[in-house]
Amino acid sequence: METVEILGCRAKVAHTFCERARGLIGVKGLAPGEGMLIERCNAIHTFFMSFSIDATFLDAENRVVKIVRNIRPWRPLVWGGWRAKKVLETEARIRPFG
């Protein structure tokens, strides 16, 4: 899997259908400054994930179109909007109490 630098984050790039479908499922956590860039994607879910994420939705020119913070596991759908073409997933850094 290719790794790129995007928005100050070192991210693995999910190109293929299988890589995009798996995303961060099975990953126990990410270090600060690490993430996954999922191409050809404008909506995500967090089924089977073990940690909360921040999702930064990007257009085709890597401009931010929407940011959704602290998405908990088992969330069925988070949509980035019609202009979103890819999403950068990083571990949420704000932890809820409890």
Side-chain angles (χ1 to χ4, degrees):
M1 194 177 291
E2 172 189 9
T3 302
V4 298
E5 183 80 20
I6 184 163
L7 300 178
C9 183
R10 183 176 165 88
K12 291 184 179 179
V13 182
H15 291 289
T16 68
F17 174 79
C18 289
E19 290 171 344
R20 292 190 332 264
R22 181 172 182 198
L24 292 173
I25 294 171
V27 175
K28 297 296 180 195
L30 296 170
E34 289 186 351
M36 175 166 285
L37 180 67
I38 302 175
E39 296 188 331
R40 298 189 312 270
C41 177
N42 70 355
I44 60 169
H45 68 82
T46 57
F47 291 131
F48 308 106
M49 292 190 58
S50 59
F51 58 95
S52 296
I53 63 169
D54 292 337
T56 304
F57 292 91
L58 309 166
D59 68 9
E61 287 77 40
N62 293 332
R63 292 180 296 225
V64 175
V65 295
K66 184 176 183 178
I67 298 172
V68 183
R69 297 190 190 281
N70 203 33
I71 306 164
R72 294 182 180 150
W74 295 97
R75 185 89 190 269
L77 180 71
V78 179
W79 187 52
W82 293 113
R83 294 185 305 143
K85 303 295 181 202
K86 51 187 105 170
V87 61
L88 176 63
E89 296 180 346
T90 56
E91 187 166 347
R93 296 294 166 210
I94 299 172
R95 300 283 184 238
F97 294 105

